[in-house]
Amino acid sequence: GLHVEVHVDRTHAIGKTHKAGVCDVVLEAAVSTIQDCEDSVAAVDAADKVRVYKNWCKLMKGDLVAQFKKGDKTIERRLAADRHYTSAATGSPMHLPGRAILLVRNVGIHMYTDVVVDGANNAIPEGLMDALMTALGAAHDIRKSGSGGAAGGSDGGGSGIRNSRTGSAYLVKPKMHGPEEVRYTCDVYRAVEEHLKLPLNALKIGIMDEERRTSVNLGHCIAAARERVAFINTGFLDRTG
């Protein structure tokens, strides 16, 4: 479940007006968040895709930084560090990740792109490009050393921030029409793992249940990806328009 952090400070402007000295309540926002390579970010050309892949890579490395202007001030945002506590019951240290687990949505298997072309100058399946590039970015996180706990370990690049605590990457796949296409996607992930020398089944699949052939065969779709499936999502807008 989600965690709640209650801040008590009787010297704080708000805390000193509260009977228990509570000055703030911080709520954990989400367990997981999806970064998109598909339609919600309108990544339609080479420049867009490069920007998407670059951001994903930096998220997996843990060093993404964004700056923006607010009035006459420059505000900087970066990935939140893990949170460290002391157990009231045992006095032992406790750790919680400071960030939601990040998933990344690839495009469907029926999309083509001319960002990369083959030897005959033909567009290639965009889903293959997404699978390779998002896995390449996630490899930074998969290969980080450490115990795999919330605090993670160092990747040798100065960031101890980890996304997965189990050495996995989470690739959400939309627009699959039944178990055959789920099986094909799993075969693609296996080929990508071999190419990048990643552990077998490190690339997990999120099945988006938004096509009728998948909905009526969802059990078979899950069975086809039983060693990889980590996420099921119903595309309600595909049902309601």
Side-chain angles (χ1 to χ4, degrees), residues 37-84:
C37 296
E38 204 201 17
D39 48 10
S40 75
V41 292
V44 297
D45 58 21
D48 289 342
K49 295 298 284 197
V50 168
R51 189 174 298 112
V52 167
Y53 295 149
K54 181 178 180 180
N55 285 340
W56 174 248
C57 182
K58 284 183 167 290
L59 285 169
M60 293 297 97
K61 293 172 72 175
D63 60 5
L64 181 65
V65 177
Q67 293 183 335
F68 59 93
K69 289 283 189 179
K70 186 174 183 180
D72 59 351
K73 295 181 179 179
T74 298
I75 308 297
E76 184 175 274
R77 293 284 185 264
R78 60 178 64 244
L79 296 180
D82 291 338
R83 305 177 89 86
H84 305 281

Side-chain angles (χ1 to χ4, degrees), residues 3-20:
H3 299 84
V4 180
E5 196 175 83
V6 180
H7 294 186
V8 178
D9 183 355
R10 295 186 183 277
T11 67
H12 190 275
I14 295 175
K16 65 184 179 183
T17 67
H18 190 272
K19 289 183 178 180

Side-chain angles (χ1 to χ4, degrees), residues 8-233:
V8 178
D9 183 355
R10 295 186 183 277
T11 67
H12 190 275
I14 295 175
K16 65 184 179 183
T17 67
H18 190 272
K19 289 183 178 180
V22 174
C23 65
D24 200 3
V25 177
V26 179
L27 303 178
E28 189 174 16
V31 173
S32 62
T33 302
I34 300 177
Q35 182 183 324
D36 204 1
C37 296
E38 204 201 17
D39 48 10
S40 75
V41 292
V44 297
D45 58 21
D48 289 342
K49 295 298 284 197
V50 168
R51 189 174 298 112
V52 167
Y53 295 149
K54 181 178 180 180
N55 285 340
W56 174 248
C57 182
K58 284 183 167 290
L59 285 169
M60 293 297 97
K61 293 172 72 175
D63 60 5
L64 181 65
V65 177
Q67 293 183 335
F68 59 93
K69 289 283 189 179
K70 186 174 183 180
D72 59 351
K73 295 181 179 179
T74 298
I75 308 297
E76 184 175 274
R77 293 284 185 264
R78 60 178 64 244
L79 296 180
D82 291 338
R83 305 177 89 86
H84 305 281
Y85 309 93
T86 300
S87 170
T90 66
S92 59
M94 298 172 54
H95 309 285
L96 288 175
R99 306 148 309 282
I101 294 176
L102 294 172
L103 299 76
V104 60
R105 182 165 70 159
N106 291 183
V107 304
I109 67 175
H110 303 286
M111 303 290 290
Y112 279 75
T113 179
D114 60 1
V115 171
V116 177
V117 295
D118 64 16
N121 208 37
N122 297 313
I124 67 165
E126 189 172 356
L128 297 183
M129 182 176 71
D130 272 0
L132 180 61
M133 296 305 295
T134 55
L136 182 61
H140 290 284
D141 187 68
I142 294 172
R143 291 171 177 152
K144 286 177 182 176
S145 60
S147 63
S154 173
D155 62 348
S159 170
I161 288 177
R162 298 196 69 174
N163 184 52
S164 173
R165 269 77 75 189
T166 60
S168 297
Y170 309 99
L171 279 55
V172 179
K173 195 69 175 177
K175 304 296 186 294
M176 291 188 292
H177 297 257
E180 293 81 6
E181 294 190 358
V182 173
R183 193 172 298 109
Y184 166 79
T185 299
C186 290
D187 290 342
V188 169
Y189 290 176
R190 185 178 300 108
V192 170
E193 289 166 346
E194 292 174 356
H195 181 69
L196 298 179
K197 295 181 171 56
L198 298 175
L200 179 64
N201 296 324
L203 301 181
K204 300 300 191 288
I205 185 172
I207 299 173
M208 294 196 69
D209 173 17
E210 53 189 353
E211 302 295 341
R212 292 179 181 176
R213 212 178 313 165
T214 293
S215 297
V216 299
N217 293 288
L218 189 57
H220 293 290
C221 292
I222 294 171
R226 58 188 174 275
E227 295 176 327
R228 296 182 183 273
V229 65
F231 173 89
I232 303 288
N233 177 59

